[in-house]
Amino acid sequence: MEVAVMDHTNIKTRSFGCYEKEYVDSLNQLYSENAELPGFRWFLDTAYAWAFGEQDRKREVVLLGTMIPEEIVIAAGAKPRWLIGGSLGTAAWSDDLVPRDADPVSRSILGYLHRPGAAPGPEALYIVPLVNDSMRKIAYELKSQGRKLCLIDVPPDRKDRYAEEKYARQMKELCAAVSRHTGTRVTKNTAVSAMRRVSAARTALQKFLEQSRGRAELISDAARLLVHNSYYLADSIDEWTRRVEALSRELAGRALCQNRKTGSPPAVLLAGSPVRFPNYKVPFLVRDAGLAVADCVDEAALKPCISYKRSSLRGSRDQLIQMIAAKWFRHDASSANIRNDVMFEMVERIAKQGSVEGVVWHVLKGQMEYDFELDRIEPMLSGYGIPVFRLETDYQYQDVEQLRIRLEAFSEMLEQNRYRRVARVS
Amino acid sequence: MDRDADKRKERQDRRFIKRETQTAAKYLRRLRELPGAPEGMEPFYQALERIYVQLQAVEREAGRKTVGTYCVMTPPELVYAAGAVPVKLCSGDYTAFSVGDGVVARDACPLVKAVAGFQQTGLMPAYADCALMVVPVTCDCKKKIAGLLADQCEVMTLHVPASREDVDIEDFVTQLYVLMEKLEEVTGSRISYQSLAEGFGKVGYAQYELSEFIRLKKEMLYLIRGSHAMAIMNAASYMPADVWGEALGAVNQSLRKKIAQKEAVTSKKLPRILLTGSPVVFPNVKIPLLVEEAGGIVAGDETCMGERGMWDPAVITDDSFDGMIRALANRALRPCPCPSFADNARRIYRLKQLIQENRIQGVIYHVLRGCLVYDYEYKRIEEELGSLGIPVIRLESDYNEEDIEQLRIRIEAFIELIKLKQAPEKARAAERSF
């Protein structure tokens, strides 16, 4: 199939398979939505390079999912390579390895590990957070293949008085495992340096997200999401931070000369299962249905809040690691929890602010943890008068038209709610 | 309005009780009617009948509280030591499942849906009576149901580690101490060295009788049907360990007599099937019943509601109080081939062991819809057993009777396949070497 792609990058017109097509289609859409934003192109290139470029496969450290503190990995002199799922193509590669009901994120992650010619090398160290059944069994699969593993068994019950201690101990073990792998000792200095670098990145991201919220005329919602996701795709965190800061400056400049759009579309919160590049069908559909994504709440949504003040970077190396562990444990909104109180509170805080008119609760098939959470979240949101739309899907594109009709109906309902609110006030 | 709602609830409850008791009675009748049962089965049937048909609480001494447990990782010894009686609450009830279907996530496994259904209706005394529920977090469904149950009753979770390193055992020991405190708080009785030793004694006696039962089964092929063995194992959930052990002792006596008289359940060489995978919990015993109605025999099982649930005894190497707690932690984790562990190579070893000991000719891999951890391990097990020439069939089922005919056709075909294989190599089948 011939696909015409962007002319600003190194993408050429060529034949694509399922894996490539999905990336190129998403990149094309993102580019066409944000063609006027030069600062955004670097993020597109980064995503492209991650998907098609050569990876540095020397003693790499592979992080499965987003819930591993990368500051520890960086402090040990490694460059983290994240596998966060999101690709239909890679999900298809693992079809023979996983049961039918496995969730697409795990399928996609496992698929990346078997990607012909680009899978992590045999010397790689895999860090696997055991947040759900699939991750546990992926770890078994990797171990059977003789790969080097470091497992993080996230304690599921926050009321367990030893949970934080257990998590902290595992962080120390992680530190030692990565150190052994890279041959670089983690010292207080390397830990402080890593913490500063990730803090700068997270602060830049937080600033960017705040600045671009509700400014679809400056940058599209899906592009905001890509900027966030590209953190896991970028080759260098420092370069990524600089680019995000530059993009924020560019947006601030453009905001001065461009008025806010009047008659803004209903703002929704996109919450639940993570939306990962290149599978952006949900944000694209939300946009097509005439809705604006005000915020995204998934397992990694609170990560930008994990930053370390300069004054707190004191104490021994172990104390610093203890601090990292404590911060991460408190901000963990992953499905590892018996009750995902962190996610619940985050959604409640947004609902209280009154900045969203509806919630799109995204459930990827097989991630039933989010369905359990919805049972608690829906009554809470109804208390604030916020309707919830449960959108269940997977990485396939066959259901796009069905979802479009349902989202359009939801959008209409939110519009009607606005009229009703105005009528009530008047 | 309230009166209408009350009346509606009353009607719903009546319907629930009627359907639930009818289904349980039907399966109990089928078990009773299945020929070849050894003498002494009645106490087990009565225990199941008491819970599921008469809807009564677990029979126990007056004043003793019950503690609900899930999975095999909760040590019953600790519960007995606290003066309470453990009740395994994993359920196979179809009617409760249909209620739970509307309560929990659609993709949750039927076992969890049945638990949620019973909890929702509040009509099952075995659940309603529990002073505490101990939920080991073994899979995503158990993890989430723990949160749901905590809204309605006192719940304590146990973090089951994904690996079995020394440090994981240490963590589990710490959790058992926390569980001990909780049990003491709930029951009002202190767990002493003496009471813990008595708890070990009760469970040890039951385990001794079980090991004898397993030995007798191995001594003579076709000594007992798998469905009857499943009924015995399921009844263990609702009987105090000493009472169950005593009843099993009577069955063992009858089996010894049968061996002496060379009296098997059949004179035919029925294909010998091993049942593994998701647990078979009463009244969802359709698969063993179908196997035995289709001309096979369930000669062994590797499920957590079956022999695996009680097989491994706690080994005390240090007879101090702490040593006993450590023995419980070790027993709960080290030998356990539950697929909730990240590395579960020992399950394959255990399956091979069971196949050899019970001269198994085919394996039925049971997967309850939504039970992801077992489903993940199927491929590996199929490959391993395939290399030994043991046919494996994956049966996915739910808690309803709609798939019975489909299952029957597949089971019949599987048994036919084994029979065809059996004919030319009948003589060699028993000598298969590993």
Side-chain angles (χ1 to χ4, degrees):
Chain A
M1 182 179 52
E2 290 293 309
V3 179
V5 291
M6 296 171 283
D7 56 2
H8 76 280
T9 61
N10 54 354
I11 306 176
K12 291 174 190 145
T13 303
R14 45 172 273 210
S15 292
F16 291 111
C18 165
Y19 171 78
E20 290 93 344
K21 185 181 180 307
E22 193 182 21
Y23 272 95
V24 170
D25 281 352
S26 294
L27 287 169
N28 272 337
Q29 280 212 53
L30 285 162
Y31 177 64
S32 60
E33 280 175 7
N34 304 280
E36 306 296 314
L37 204 58
F40 178 61
R41 290 179 192 177
W42 183 85
F43 297 94
L44 294 171
D45 289 341
T46 299
Y48 180 81
W50 193 91
F52 301 103
E54 281 290 308
Q55 301 284 338
D56 176 13
R57 295 169 65 185
K58 274 186 199 156
R59 302 192 73 76
E60 59 189 338
V61 177
V62 182
L63 276 61
L64 305 196
T66 55
M67 298 316 291
I68 299 291
E70 59 269 24
E71 40 271 55
I72 294 179
V73 177
I74 297 169
K79 198 165 71 179
R81 180 178 173 195
W82 279 280
L83 295 180
I84 57 171
S87 162
L88 171 65
T90 59
W93 292 337
S94 67
D95 263 354
D96 293 341
L97 302 169
V98 296
R100 184 200 56 208
D101 295 336
D103 67 289
V105 178
S106 310
R107 276 169 184 265
S108 176
I109 288 176
L110 196 58
Y112 275 116
L113 296 173
H114 293 89
R115 190 179 148 201
E123 285 192 348
L125 170 69
Y126 295 82
I127 303 169
V128 190
L130 302 172
V131 291
N132 56 30
D133 291 343
S134 289
M135 279 296 174
R136 259 194 292 244
K137 298 328 275 184
I138 286 178
Y140 185 22
E141 174 75 27
L142 291 174
K143 195 176 173 203
S144 317
Q145 291 170 6
R147 312 226 191 179
K148 214 192 290 179
L149 295 185
C150 173
L151 305 181
I152 308 293
D153 197 351
V154 183
D157 193 352
R158 266 147 210 283
K159 282 190 205 144
D160 176 1
R161 66 182 101 142
Y162 299 104
E164 201 169 321
E165 194 184 308
K166 263 186 242 175
Y167 188 75
R169 192 192 62 224
Q170 294 189 69
M171 289 303 110
K172 282 181 193 156
E173 284 164 8
L174 167 69
C175 180
V178 184
S179 253
R180 264 197 311 275
H181 181 71
T182 57
T184 308
R185 240 187 90 231
V186 177
T187 62
K188 186 192 164 185
N189 285 345
T190 58
V192 168
S193 157
M195 288 160 89
R196 278 192 186 149
R197 286 167 69 196
V198 294
S199 284
R202 288 171 194 158
T203 311
L205 177 63
Q206 210 171 10
K207 202 175 154 198
F208 163 76
L209 290 174
E210 270 164 30
Q211 201 162 29
S212 56
R213 185 175 294 126
R215 300 303 303 262
E217 69 282 4
L218 300 179
I219 184 167
S220 70
D221 295 331
R224 288 178 75 217
L225 211 55
L226 177 69
V227 171
H228 193 166
N229 276 185
S230 65
Y231 177 74
Y232 304 106
L233 313 176
D235 223 22
S236 152
I237 283 184
D238 304 321
E239 172 71 3
W240 183 86
T241 310
R242 276 196 295 279
R243 295 291 183 164
V244 174
E245 284 167 348
L247 184 61
S248 296
R249 279 196 299 275
E250 192 183 332
L251 286 177
R254 282 164 61 94
L256 287 175
C257 13
Q258 207 168 336
N259 286 336
R260 265 179 193 272
K261 257 189 187 170
T262 50
S264 58
V268 292
L269 169 70
L270 181 57
S273 296
V275 176
R276 301 278 183 245
F277 186 77
N279 202 289
Y280 274 5
K281 87 176 169 187
V282 174
F284 288 146
L285 277 172
V286 169
R287 175 207 59 195
D288 292 349
L291 298 167
V293 179
D295 265 305
C296 275
V297 171
D298 62 14
E299 58 180 18
L302 266 184
K303 253 178 94 169
C305 305
I306 308 175
S307 59
Y308 312 96
K309 286 180 192 152
R310 193 177 286 259
S311 57
S312 67
L313 298 179
R314 292 199 187 110
S316 66
R317 182 197 71 162
D318 283 353
Q319 280 169 331
L320 291 172
I321 290 171
Q322 186 91 24
M323 183 166 77
I324 293 171
K327 283 230 177 201
W328 272 79
F329 191 65
R330 269 172 238 152
H331 289 85
D332 179 19
S334 73
S335 50
N337 298 292
I338 285 171
R339 283 165 182 273
N340 202 336
D341 290 332
V342 174
M343 187 177 270
F344 183 88
E345 282 159 19
M346 216 180 337
V347 173
E348 189 170 29
R349 200 168 54 238
I350 293 168
K352 262 185 198 165
Q353 285 166 0
S355 55
V356 293
E357 293 159 70
V359 171
V360 175
W361 190 260
H362 176 221
V363 180
L364 282 172
K365 239 163 243 174
Q367 293 198 330
M368 50 116 197
E369 303 93 305
Y370 293 102
D371 263 340
F372 273 95
E373 292 304 326
L374 183 61
D375 287 343
R376 294 167 66 210
I377 285 176
E378 201 170 1
M380 177 272 285
L381 286 169
S382 78
Y384 291 98
I386 297 174
V388 183
F389 172 79
R390 178 181 174 275
L391 187 150
E392 183 176 347
T393 182
D394 55 15
Y395 285 170
Q396 296 287 344
Y397 288 88
Q398 282 103 327
D399 58 357
V400 163
E401 291 310 316
Q402 263 184 37
L403 296 177
R404 191 191 305 281
I405 293 168
R406 292 185 59 211
L407 268 167
E408 279 170 357
F410 185 61
S411 172
E412 299 237 341
M413 191 190 83
L414 293 183
E415 292 276 4
Q416 292 298 321
N417 282 356
R418 278 184 172 182
Y419 290 125
R420 254 181 244 135
R421 227 172 288 137
V422 170
R424 254 203 312 266
V425 170
S426 62
Chain B
M1 203 51 188
D2 278 354
R3 271 187 63 192
D4 283 350
D6 287 348
K7 277 188 177 170
R8 197 163 53 241
K9 171 85 172 73
E10 212 174 288
R11 277 200 305 274
Q12 279 173 350
D13 287 354
R14 268 206 306 271
R15 216 166 44 235
F16 176 87
I17 291 169
K18 192 177 163 200
R19 272 183 61 193
E20 195 280 325
T21 50
Q22 272 178 353
T23 314
K26 184 173 84 183
Y27 279 97
L28 212 48
R29 194 176 58 240
R30 280 177 72 180
L31 283 170
R32 278 183 164 130
E33 284 171 358
L34 202 65
E39 284 167 30
M41 287 293 291
E42 207 43 42
F44 305 110
Y45 294 145
Q46 278 169 7
L48 295 171
E49 193 168 6
R50 182 183 169 90
I51 301 294
Y52 285 97
V53 183
Q54 294 163 359
L55 296 185
Q56 289 180 32
V58 173
E59 199 169 9
R60 58 192 191 272
E61 287 167 38
R64 280 193 185 248
K65 290 185 175 169
T66 58
V67 171
T69 67
Y70 295 86
C71 299
V72 296
M73 284 84 171
T74 315
E77 290 87 345
L78 269 185
V79 181
Y80 286 120
V85 177
V87 188
K88 233 188 209 178
L89 295 179
C90 293
S91 176
D93 197 275
Y94 299 165
T95 320
F97 157 77
S98 58
V99 174
D101 206 16
V103 180
V104 298
R106 186 202 56 207
D107 294 338
C109 74
L111 192 147
V112 154
K113 283 183 184 173
V115 169
F118 275 135
Q119 200 63 33
Q120 173 83 3
T121 56
L123 294 170
M124 192 69 160
Y127 285 75
D129 266 14
C130 287
L132 172 72
M133 286 195 189
V134 186
V135 189
V137 180
T138 45
C139 63
D140 290 346
C141 286
K142 289 273 164 65
K143 180 166 71 191
K144 287 303 186 187
I145 197 74
L148 205 80
L149 291 172
D151 290 336
Q152 294 155 15
C153 56
E154 187 85 39
V155 167
M156 154 118 199
T157 58
L158 291 176
H159 175 202
V160 178
S163 45
R164 308 167 177 99
E165 306 294 326
D166 287 349
V167 67
D168 300 310
I169 305 287
E170 276 304 315
D171 280 345
F172 202 69
V173 168
T174 313
Q175 289 195 73
L176 291 187
Y177 275 107
V178 178
L179 172 63
M180 211 176 83
E181 282 172 31
K182 190 79 193 169
L183 286 168
E184 285 177 340
E185 184 193 315
V186 166
T187 58
S189 321
R190 237 192 103 247
I191 297 178
S192 62
Y193 184 90
Q194 188 59 34
S195 68
L196 186 57
E198 280 168 19
F200 268 84
K202 269 187 188 174
V203 178
Y205 169 58
Q207 281 175 323
Y208 167 75
E209 289 296 345
L210 177 64
S211 67
E212 186 62 8
F213 176 69
I214 292 169
R215 189 190 65 76
L216 292 170
K217 275 204 316 174
K218 277 188 234 162
E219 205 174 305
M220 184 174 142
L221 298 180
Y222 308 106
L223 185 62
I224 181 171
R225 286 186 187 273
S227 303
H228 292 136
M230 290 272 178
I232 292 174
M233 294 314 300
N234 267 276
S237 304
Y238 314 108
M239 293 167 85
D242 47 347
V243 178
W244 184 82
E246 211 170 299
L248 186 58
V251 170
N252 286 342
Q253 198 56 41
S254 135
L255 292 179
R256 275 186 214 104
K257 252 194 258 168
K258 280 185 158 207
I259 292 172
Q261 291 162 1
K262 295 204 166 96
E263 188 190 326
V265 289
T266 172
S267 55
K268 292 177 193 161
K269 295 275 177 236
L270 302 180
R272 299 175 60 79
I273 307 289
L274 176 79
L275 193 54
T276 183
S278 304
V280 172
V281 195
F282 186 81
N284 180 40
V285 286
K286 62 185 173 191
I287 288 183
L289 281 173
L290 280 173
V291 170
E292 298 192 331
E293 283 167 5
I297 191 158
V298 178
D301 82 277
E302 193 277 323
T303 65
C304 53
M305 280 300 283
E307 288 161 12
R308 190 216 291 171
M310 279 180 82
W311 167 237
D312 299 297
V315 180
I316 304 170
T317 49
D318 160 14
D319 62 2
S320 66
F321 189 86
D322 188 57
M324 289 204 276
I325 298 287
R326 273 168 200 284
L328 292 178
N330 274 305
R331 191 268 317 271
L333 302 184
R334 287 211 202 268
C336 186
C338 173
S340 70
F341 294 101
D343 180 357
N344 202 23
R346 68 193 56 186
R347 180 153 175 242
I348 294 167
Y349 174 79
R350 179 72 187 138
L351 280 171
K352 286 181 180 174
Q353 201 179 28
L354 284 170
I355 288 169
Q356 192 176 28
E357 286 171 356
N358 296 295
R359 294 181 224 173
I360 296 296
Q361 293 161 292
V363 172
I364 289 183
Y365 197 99
H366 176 222
V367 179
L368 283 174
R369 196 160 291 159
C371 187
L372 210 57
V373 280
Y374 276 108
D375 219 358
Y376 260 104
E377 293 198 349
Y378 172 68
K379 194 179 154 275
R380 185 178 304 271
I381 285 170
E382 190 190 23
E383 279 169 9
E384 285 282 344
L385 300 188
S387 68
L388 300 174
I390 302 284
V392 186
I393 184 176
R394 175 181 174 279
L395 287 186
E396 182 171 343
S397 82
D398 219 335
Y399 280 0
N400 57 48
E401 294 181 314
E402 284 150 25
D403 57 358
I404 279 193
E405 291 311 313
Q406 270 184 30
L407 291 173
R408 189 193 304 277
I409 290 168
R410 294 195 61 207
I411 290 171
E412 278 173 357
F414 185 62
I415 286 171
E416 284 298 320
L417 176 107
I418 294 170
K419 280 181 181 166
L420 281 174
K421 270 183 86 176
Q422 196 178 12
E425 57 168 33
K426 205 188 267 179
R428 280 181 290 136
E431 295 152 20
R432 189 173 277 120
S433 144
F434 294 86

